[in-house]
Amino acid sequence: MTRYSAEEKNEIHEAFAAILDQLDARERGPDSWEESHLVHALSYMESGIYNRARNALADCVLPVAERSAWRAAQLERNPSRYTVARLRQRLSQVIIDARQR
């Protein structure tokens, strides 16, 4: 299993938080595409797979015109489950867990 330094983990935690800050600044929750990629990034961080989390965050911020139309349509069929507040709560737990490892 790949080991990630505290700096690498912190960089990804900060990137995730920056995305949430942007959503807050726009006064909106994540769209279905963003939600899916943010949830995947959290799951990867919880599993200690930070390179995959970085990739999920990069995909999250793709401009709408660059997103897979088919995938975006599939994701839009799912009900929204995550607010920015809920994503922040999960990120906080990921950060706590990462510090304890």
Side-chain angles (χ1 to χ4, degrees):
M1 184 170 161
T2 303
R3 289 283 201 182
Y4 300 94
S5 69
E7 292 81 22
E8 289 170 312
K9 291 177 182 180
N10 191 48
E11 179 183 308
I12 295 169
H13 298 157
E14 288 176 0
F16 193 101
I19 292 169
L20 298 180
D21 290 344
Q22 288 176 354
L23 291 171
D24 274 341
R26 294 179 183 151
E27 297 180 349
R28 69 173 183 87
D31 63 25
S32 58
W33 177 275
E34 294 162 337
E35 178 183 355
S36 174
H37 288 86
L38 289 168
V39 171
H40 281 105
L42 283 168
S43 295
Y44 290 133
M45 287 187 278
E46 289 168 342
S47 299
I49 311 171
Y50 278 80
N51 60 327
R52 287 287 194 85
R54 182 186 319 268
N55 293 342
L57 293 177
D59 289 342
C60 175
V61 297
L62 279 176
V64 174
E66 295 179 29
R67 297 175 180 178
S68 162
W70 180 86
R71 176 119 169 90
Q74 295 300 310
L75 291 171
E76 287 175 11
R77 299 170 88 187
N78 297 328
S80 179
R81 298 177 304 155
Y82 284 83
T83 62
V84 172
R86 186 170 177 199
L87 291 164
R88 277 192 202 284
Q89 182 180 15
R90 281 195 58 194
L91 176 61
S92 295
Q93 189 59 51
V94 165
I95 292 169
I96 291 168
D97 292 346
R99 289 181 182 155
Q100 293 176 351
R101 290 183 190 162

